[in-house]
Amino acid sequence: MAIITVSRQFGSKGDDICEALARKLGYKLVDRKVLRKRILELGCSEEMMRKFDGMKPGFWASLSRYKDEYLYYLRTAMMSEVSSGNCVVVGRGSFLILKGIESCVSVRIVEERRSRIERIAKLFESDLKEAEKAVKQADWHQLGFHKSYFNAHLSDFFLYDMTLNSGKTDIDSAVDAIAAYAAAQINEERERNGEEQLNVLTLAQNIVNMLIFTYSIEIDNLRADVDGNVVTLRGVSSLSASVQRAIDILSLELPDFKIVSKVNVVQDSMRKSF
């Protein structure tokens, strides 16, 4: 299983490069449409998608439980899609969600703003001012989305394995460069390791989904880490009883695992470790 994640600036040649790359390699293309369809199938509402999908949440939206739920749906959908085999995953924080998988390489596609504005104006038959506004808004949302959900800044190029300026190359050359890099990085051993690592990530997300959606546990920003037979819960809660209930549930549901809590319990405006 080989995975190539591509983060791209709005108005760059990123989408065209992703489509051509998937076609050249014979990989599955996991783009916005594919992820949106899968997320909705999992139970996410259209209203939640409009508020959170690829967007920087507004102030009140960022404080709601629906923000966390959207991320749980997104992680689940993405892991489900990539589990089927070799794929190119486009955007939606995929390089961060799938970080740590050895058979995954991450690419960032950038381009000078002026050329992106001109491309958008031509594509949508709009004037340059309208195109500039669209590009600025898209960049703002993309930066805010990654900061809000992953506490990551897109300008940190050490987050990526490869950065490519699509304004300096044609689509075919960009595809060849990415394909060559991926081929050099991903071997059979890394693919085997990657499958095991994806299974662990999927198990961890399934644990979170069970606690939130099945048992309605009140823990914000809930995450689970699985290391061997140890499950560590992380997040924030105002109720220590909710944390204990989560531990009790997992002890019954996963009798072969040791359950550890690193959830922060906030009481009387003070945060302490449970």
Side-chain angles (χ1 to χ4, degrees):
M1 176 193 67
I3 305 169
I4 302 174
T5 66
V6 182
S7 171
R8 75 277 185 255
Q9 288 186 309
F10 178 71
S12 69
K13 299 173 188 172
D15 286 333
D16 292 334
I17 291 171
C18 288
E19 291 176 9
L21 178 65
R23 191 163 53 246
K24 175 185 176 69
L25 298 176
Y27 283 15
K28 175 182 179 180
L29 181 65
V30 182
D31 59 7
R32 176 182 177 274
K33 292 180 180 179
V34 172
L35 286 172
R36 175 183 172 81
K37 181 175 183 294
R38 180 56 67 94
I39 290 171
L40 291 173
E41 289 173 350
L42 289 170
C44 183
S45 68
E46 288 279 2
E47 181 181 3
M48 192 184 297
M49 289 291 288
R50 285 194 299 272
K51 286 184 178 180
F52 300 108
D53 189 37
M55 308 287 284
K56 176 183 178 181
F59 176 75
W60 293 112
S62 67
L63 300 177
S64 76
R65 64 182 177 85
Y66 298 115
K67 171 177 172 282
D68 286 349
E69 289 186 10
Y70 163 76
L71 182 59
Y72 304 149
Y73 283 124
L74 174 62
R75 289 181 180 274
T76 304
M78 191 173 293
M79 292 173 193
S80 175
E81 290 295 332
V82 303
S83 66
S84 61
N86 300 336
C87 56
V88 175
V89 189
V90 186
R92 295 302 183 272
S94 53
F95 69 101
L96 295 164
I97 292 174
L98 303 174
K99 183 180 180 180
I101 294 179
E102 289 186 29
S103 57
C104 177
V105 298
S106 58
V107 180
R108 173 70 170 162
I109 296 177
V110 300
E111 192 167 332
E112 193 266 332
R113 176 176 283 186
R114 185 64 186 179
S115 62
R116 292 191 287 130
I117 291 171
E118 292 173 353
R119 185 175 293 114
I120 291 300
K122 182 178 180 180
L123 179 64
F124 293 99
E125 298 180 348
S126 63
D127 61 39
L128 290 177
K129 287 187 177 180
E130 290 179 343
E132 182 178 12
K133 181 179 179 181
V135 169
K136 285 184 177 179
Q137 185 177 49
D139 288 350
W140 183 79
H141 273 297
Q142 189 180 54
L143 288 170
F145 176 83
H146 288 81
K147 181 65 176 177
S148 178
Y149 286 101
F150 308 104
N151 195 29
H153 201 291
L154 289 172
S155 64
D156 181 359
F157 294 115
F158 290 104
L159 292 172
Y160 318 105
D161 298 311
M162 178 182 188
T163 302
L164 188 148
N165 184 348
S166 64
K168 299 293 185 180
T169 184
D170 58 73
I171 293 173
D172 289 341
S173 297
V175 167
D176 288 343
I178 296 171
Y181 180 83
Q185 296 298 312
I186 303 172
N187 54 35
E188 290 185 5
E189 181 180 0
R190 288 190 172 184
E191 288 196 50
R192 287 193 300 270
N193 292 342
E195 289 183 18
E196 294 176 3
Q197 291 156 352
L198 178 60
N199 289 337
V200 171
L201 286 179
T202 301
L203 172 60
Q205 189 58 50
N206 287 340
I207 289 170
V208 170
N209 294 347
M210 176 177 62
L211 291 174
I212 296 297
F213 296 116
T214 302
Y215 291 99
S216 301
I217 295 295
E218 296 181 22
I219 300 177
D220 297 329
N221 194 27
L222 179 61
R223 305 180 307 283
D225 296 327
V226 179
D227 184 6
N229 69 336
V230 178
V231 175
T232 303
L233 299 179
R234 305 180 190 277
V236 179
S237 180
S238 61
L239 299 171
S240 59
S242 293
V243 182
Q244 187 59 56
R245 183 165 176 250
I247 294 171
D248 292 343
I249 288 169
L250 293 183
S251 296
L252 290 173
E253 295 279 1
L254 304 171
D256 295 330
F257 288 80
K258 177 183 178 182
I259 312 303
V260 175
S261 173
K262 295 293 184 180
V263 175
N264 286 325
V265 178
V266 181
Q267 295 176 332
D268 299 326
S269 301
M270 297 182 66
R271 179 172 295 180
K272 65 180 182 178
S273 179
F274 178 82

